[in-house]
Amino acid sequence: MRRLSDGGCIFLLLCILPSFCAGIETIDGNGKIPALFTFGDSLVDPGNNNFIPTWVKANHPPYGQDFMGDEQNGRFSNGKLATDFIGLSFASAGTGYDNLTSAFTSSIPMWKQVELFKTYKARLENIVGVQTSSSMIGKSIFLVFAGSNDFIENYLFLPNRRTQFTVQQYQDFILKICSNFIEEIYKLGVRKLGMAGLSPLGCAPAEKTLYGQSLLKGCIEEINDISISYNQKFEELLKGLEVRLPGIRVEYMGIYDKLLDTVKNPSLYGLEITDRGCCGTGVIESGPTCNAGTPITCRNTSSSLFWDAVHPTQAVYQIVADLILRQYIPKLL
């Protein structure tokens, strides 16, 4: 694995030559894929934000307290992310499809992540040639986790978009940008694509606090309804793109139901605490407000759903990774 930088933005280069890496085993063990890439936000950002001028960083304690060597590497977790179990990432915490979202957090916008991938592709072509590079990219799997920040950081928090769009109109606005994003990476040779839907946003402790319901044991259904209706539209969009873009395989990854089940039936997953994060009070802290000086941060995270007031613990990222590996990756092979 090599670490390369471009304009201050760091991204990972994995399995650049078959002779360097045996590839990633498929689920049934009968074949291999050259690599697995991810685009998106903090759910899959392995620390790329460490290298850009943004206030959305997790490169300080207590983040990473359960990572190898107690390392504060920029992951928004007590340990690993879902993609640490299954791949590598161009992602940036705080980003979204809407450029206004990434402007608010000074994160790497989705279009810039595509530009970083273009740089990767050009370097790959210089090493293995255009034909081999095209084959490798076409056989690789790409996962995208984005859209949550467009609602929780932008539409539901900042006034601009709410004055321009109804919730339904903003959903359509985001989905149009998402469609353009898919078409752009399709032009770059991407053919196997897993797109994650929105999680139950109304279950995040920070969202409940902002809505004046920090003591609520369940979720804010009004916000979860936004996720549900968006996901329905999203799935239909992806079906249409699969028809319209020859050779592409797009899989909608429905993480909503699994994550909602961890809230409603935590004991099934070995969890106990679902209404607050481990960091500080657990009802508002995230990023810079979850830090070494934050009091009463828990050391035993294995029974908690949330690490901070927005992001899951490593235990829940593992649940998401297992879901993707078992249910969605096989459909893209």
Side-chain angles (χ1 to χ4, degrees), residues 7-209:
C9 298
I10 300 296
F11 56 100
L12 299 177
L13 184 58
L14 180 69
C15 303
I16 199 165
L17 283 173
S19 58
F20 290 173
C21 182
I24 300 172
E25 292 283 353
T26 61
I27 300 303
D28 60 7
N30 292 327
K32 301 178 187 298
I33 60 172
L36 189 149
F37 301 88
T38 56
F39 298 95
D41 54 31
S42 57
L43 291 180
V44 287
D45 179 356
N48 291 329
N49 273 22
N50 296 349
F51 304 94
I52 62 173
T54 174
W55 54 269
V56 184
K57 296 180 187 287
N59 58 347
H60 54 268
Y63 288 99
Q65 69 176 32
D66 299 316
F67 201 83
M68 297 171 289
D70 192 28
E71 181 183 350
Q72 285 74 51
N73 47 39
R75 288 165 170 79
F76 281 78
S77 170
N78 58 297
K80 294 181 179 180
L81 308 175
T83 41
D84 287 312
F85 298 104
I86 55 177
L88 65 147
S89 182
F90 292 96
S92 175
T95 199
Y97 290 113
D98 187 346
N99 283 339
L100 188 61
T101 304
S102 54
F104 172 62
T105 57
S106 300
S107 56
I108 305 171
M110 295 298 285
W111 67 264
K112 179 62 176 178
Q113 293 182 35
V114 175
E115 292 301 310
L116 291 173
F117 176 65
K118 287 180 181 178
T119 301
Y120 166 87
K121 183 173 182 285
R123 294 181 180 183
L124 184 61
E125 289 174 352
N126 287 336
I127 295 173
V128 301
V130 173
Q131 186 173 352
T132 300
S133 169
S134 177
S135 176
M136 292 175 69
I137 289 172
K139 293 177 181 177
S140 295
I141 291 177
F142 293 75
L143 305 180
V144 181
F145 294 76
S148 295
N149 291 325
D150 291 312
F151 292 94
I152 62 176
E153 289 182 0
N154 191 342
Y155 190 84
L156 295 174
F157 183 68
L158 301 175
N160 303 55
R161 293 308 191 199
R162 289 200 307 276
T163 63
Q164 297 175 283
F165 304 107
T166 64
V167 169
Q168 292 75 22
Q169 289 171 337
Y170 189 65
Q171 290 172 337
D172 295 338
F173 174 73
I174 293 300
L175 289 170
K176 175 61 177 175
I177 300 173
C178 175
S179 178
N180 293 338
F181 171 84
I182 294 173
E183 291 183 32
E184 282 299 307
I185 60 175
Y186 174 81
K187 293 174 185 177
L188 295 173
V190 174
R191 292 296 181 269
K192 298 182 178 184
L193 186 61
M195 303 290 297
L198 296 185
S199 63
L201 301 178
C203 300
E207 285 304 299
K208 292 190 287 185
T209 297

Side-chain angles (χ1 to χ4, degrees), residues 182 186 191 193 235-252 331-332:
I182 294 173
Y186 174 81
R191 292 296 181 269
L193 186 61
E235 190 169 9
E236 289 303 311
L237 168 70
L238 298 181
K239 290 177 182 177
L241 287 174
E242 209 168 31
V243 173
R244 188 157 56 86
L245 301 177
I248 197 170
R249 296 169 67 181
V250 185
E251 184 67 22
Y252 167 74
K331 297 177 182 179
L332 293 170

